[in-house]
Amino acid sequence: QVQLVESGGGLVQAGGSLRLSCAASGRTFNNYDMGWFRQAPGKEREFVAAITAIAWSGSSTYYADSVKGRFTISRDNAKNTVYLQMNSLKPEDTAVYYCAAVRSPLNRRVNYYTDLATWDYWGQGTQVTVSS
């Protein structure tokens, strides 16, 4: 079983930046698509970003509309780590951020990454609080 551990959360002011990290166990990390979700108090867990396993054509990234242009997802396979660089943070970004993983599929249906059921492994989450 893949184990995921998030880190890098904290308290920042609006307009600030933060980088989250997700360290994954297992030798099969390179074959996994990775994602970030977040859950604000009293709200459902929502998709933030995803990055595919690296192939000959490179990896592809996907973002929720609410974070496009502000957040960047990346991965370092040598370190078994996926990152979420968050810039221009807003109070509405406040949430617990979760890392997720799924074995990279051949085909991806519409809304594949935004569906929580897609993901097989989850981290414990890291708190991000943005003050106004």
Side-chain angles (χ1 to χ4, degrees), residues 81-103:
T81 301
V82 62
Y83 304 96
L84 184 68
Q85 178 66 46
M86 305 184 294
N87 298 325
S88 302
L89 284 163
K90 305 174 181 179
E92 47 263 49
D93 295 319
T94 295
V96 175
Y97 283 70
Y98 297 90
C99 179
V102 63
R103 292 178 181 176

Side-chain angles (χ1 to χ4, degrees), residues 5-38:
V5 180
E6 302 96 334
S7 63
L11 174 63
V12 299
Q13 293 185 325
S17 298
L18 207 60
R19 189 177 78 162
L20 305 183
S21 298
C22 174
S25 66
R27 70 182 191 279
T28 60
F29 174 80
N30 293 1
N31 299 321
Y32 281 76
D33 292 352
M34 304 295 296
W36 286 97
F37 284 73
R38 66 187 183 186

Side-chain angles (χ1 to χ4, degrees), residues 19 36 51 61 63 72-76 81-85:
R19 189 177 78 162
W36 286 97
I51 185 167
T61 57
Y63 297 95
T72 302
I73 188 171
S74 62
R75 65 191 297 158
D76 185 340
T81 301
V82 62
Y83 304 96
L84 184 68
Q85 178 66 46

